[in-house]
Amino acid sequence: ACPRGCTPSLRASLVLPHTILGGCWRYGLWFRLRKVILWLLGVYIAIPFLVKLCPAIQAKLVFLNFVRVPYFIDLKRPQDQGLNHTCNYYLQPEEDVTIGVWHTVPAALWKNARGKDQPWFEEALGSTHPVILYLHGNAGTRGGDHRVELYKVLSSLGYHVVTFDYRGWGDSIGSPSERGMTYDALHVFDWIKARSGDNPVYIWGHSLGTGVATNLVRRLCERETPPDALILESPFTNIREEARSHPFSVIYRYFPGFDWFFLDPITTSGIKFANDENVKYISCSLLILHAEDDPVVPFHLGKKLYNIAATSRSFRDYKVQFVPFHTDLGYRHKYIYRSPELPRILREFLGKSEHEHHH
């Protein structure tokens, strides 16, 4: 502030340093901001080249097997997750590969299951209850919260639930690959069939697990040992279309050469998960469940897969059903298990599958 009675020249000399200081501060802020913007732009441009040069990066982003959520869970103790009627096994599909398996018995066997060992659980698969082999999606483990909640629902509906971590996930040993994941699923399916007698065996895949599920069921149909039904929850058509639609790809979707930079490395890594091709070779009942507000696998991909399957000659003698869940329900990518309609949907669909199986 200028003292009272000061001359204009003195006033100007007092104001000028403030103006200069303000201008310097603004210039410094703009300079720092410009540096940050240029750095971010450099990273943005560098990432596609990095992915192209190292396809293994893209493979890791597809599998996300290094993400363990919840982290501090002991997979040897399913009871810590409230699964008191579940046994933890380890199976060996190939040399140097070990996979961790959980087997949850139906609600009717809960009391008997308490304190029992692995031979009792294996023998229980031969009891008169259907079996669901559950194939989980990427990231996390067989102990993931939404997965555990689904096991509880299915168990309460009278199903055995057998689930496992693919090689490279959870406490399973080995390196992840599409071929390896499919082989692990085949091994567990054969292990179940060797113990389940005439009980129906259904295969349920979720998200990336739908890719494993259709790979497996196509192989089973080709060797003429199909499952009694296939359930796909939040499925996609193939991994390229899913990667193009994934939230992670939003910032690069209009980047020149997006397919060449981001999608070709996935194919180069031997990852296809071609559900749209596989369904043309599958001959068993098919149920697709998809939430309209799914932010990870867009609803339209599940609908597109259904349309391919529904017109395929391989399903000519089998039921193909698509069940959408309205956006207002908020089931998104992994909460369909919360639907009060799910027991009825499964009862009506699998009841018909069992009828086809026995007749």
Side-chain angles (χ1 to χ4, degrees):
C2 188
R4 209 165 167 190
C6 68
T7 64
S9 60
L10 181 61
R11 188 182 294 116
S13 68
L14 287 167
V15 170
L16 193 61
H18 287 290
T19 308
I20 292 167
L21 283 170
C24 287
W25 182 81
R26 278 196 295 274
Y27 178 76
L29 181 66
W30 163 241
F31 181 73
R32 281 197 298 273
L33 191 62
R34 198 172 64 175
K35 268 177 74 173
V36 169
I37 290 167
L38 286 171
W39 183 83
L40 288 172
L41 189 63
V43 170
Y44 178 78
I45 293 168
I47 283 173
F49 289 95
L50 194 63
V51 168
K52 186 67 183 176
L53 290 169
C54 303
I57 293 172
Q58 193 69 318
K60 282 201 173 297
L61 290 175
V62 170
F63 296 137
L64 291 178
N65 58 302
F66 54 90
V67 178
R68 282 198 64 168
V69 182
Y71 190 76
F72 294 107
I73 178 176
D74 182 355
L75 292 167
K76 293 185 180 69
R77 292 177 52 82
Q79 60 268 34
D80 292 352
Q81 303 306 110
L83 295 169
N84 297 319
H85 43 292
T86 298
C87 188
N88 181 63
Y89 310 143
Y90 291 97
L91 302 178
Q92 194 167 9
E94 295 180 292
E95 199 178 343
D96 300 326
V97 175
T98 305
I99 55 174
V101 181
W102 279 0
H103 171 198
T104 302
V105 295
L109 304 178
W110 284 2
K111 283 183 181 172
N112 295 343
R114 200 160 290 178
K116 296 294 196 301
D117 55 7
Q118 182 172 334
W120 183 91
F121 275 82
E122 288 191 31
E123 195 178 326
L125 282 169
S127 63
T128 56
H129 294 275
V131 185
I132 290 178
L133 170 57
Y134 178 78
L135 305 170
H136 70 64
N138 68 357
T141 67
R142 63 191 183 277
D145 293 342
H146 65 282
R147 293 163 188 162
V148 168
E149 292 307 313
L150 178 65
Y151 312 154
K152 290 175 181 175
V153 169
L154 296 176
S155 172
S156 70
L157 296 176
Y159 299 101
H160 288 276
V161 183
V162 177
T163 187
F164 66 95
D165 280 316
Y166 315 105
R167 60 187 72 189
W169 271 260
D171 56 356
S172 297
I173 297 164
S175 299
S177 68
E178 181 174 354
R179 187 207 69 83
M181 294 162 75
T182 304
Y183 191 80
D184 293 345
L186 178 65
H187 183 81
V188 177
F189 178 84
D190 286 341
W191 180 88
I192 292 168
K193 288 295 282 185
R195 291 156 180 79
S196 59
D198 291 331
N199 297 326
V201 178
Y202 309 122
I203 291 169
W204 184 313
H206 172 244
S207 192
L208 190 68
T210 65
V212 182
T214 66
N215 279 350
L216 169 63
V217 177
R218 175 176 175 173
R219 193 160 169 180
L220 293 175
C221 290
E222 285 171 349
R223 75 173 198 189
E224 299 183 353
T225 58
D228 293 280
L230 170 61
I231 300 162
L232 301 178
E233 179 190 355
S234 312
F236 48 86
T237 44
N238 59 67
I239 201 66
R240 286 179 75 98
E241 287 199 354
E242 162 53 17
R244 193 180 286 115
S245 308
H246 197 280
F248 286 164
S249 73
V250 168
I251 58 168
Y252 283 105
R253 204 163 291 160
Y254 303 106
F255 191 88
F258 175 82
D259 285 23
W260 188 77
F261 279 113
F262 290 98
L263 304 185
D264 291 354
I266 298 176
T267 312
T268 304
S269 301
I271 304 170
K272 294 178 181 173
F273 291 115
N275 288 338
D276 49 358
E277 276 302 306
N278 288 339
V279 293
K280 296 172 187 174
Y281 300 91
I282 288 173
S283 297
C284 70
S285 297
L286 172 65
L287 173 64
I288 296 177
L289 310 170
H290 214 134
E292 291 176 357
D293 58 338
D294 189 329
V296 178
V297 180
F299 178 79
H300 73 85
L301 290 185
K303 188 69 175 171
K304 184 177 177 181
L305 183 66
Y306 165 74
N307 290 332
I308 294 167
T311 56
S312 171
R313 289 182 62 194
S314 64
F315 286 103
R316 201 170 38 206
D317 301 324
Y318 297 93
K319 185 177 175 62
V320 179
Q321 187 179 346
F322 183 85
V323 180
F325 294 87
H326 197 271
T327 302
D328 293 348
L329 296 167
Y331 296 152
R332 296 174 66 77
H333 184 58
K334 57 187 183 183
Y335 301 114
I336 285 175
Y337 73 83
R338 292 177 179 169
S339 171
E341 292 296 307
L342 190 60
R344 179 191 58 78
I345 292 164
L346 294 178
R347 189 169 58 246
E348 289 179 3
F349 180 80
L350 296 178
K352 285 174 182 160
S353 296
E354 285 177 45
H355 178 77
E356 286 172 5
H357 172 73
H358 291 303
H359 294 85

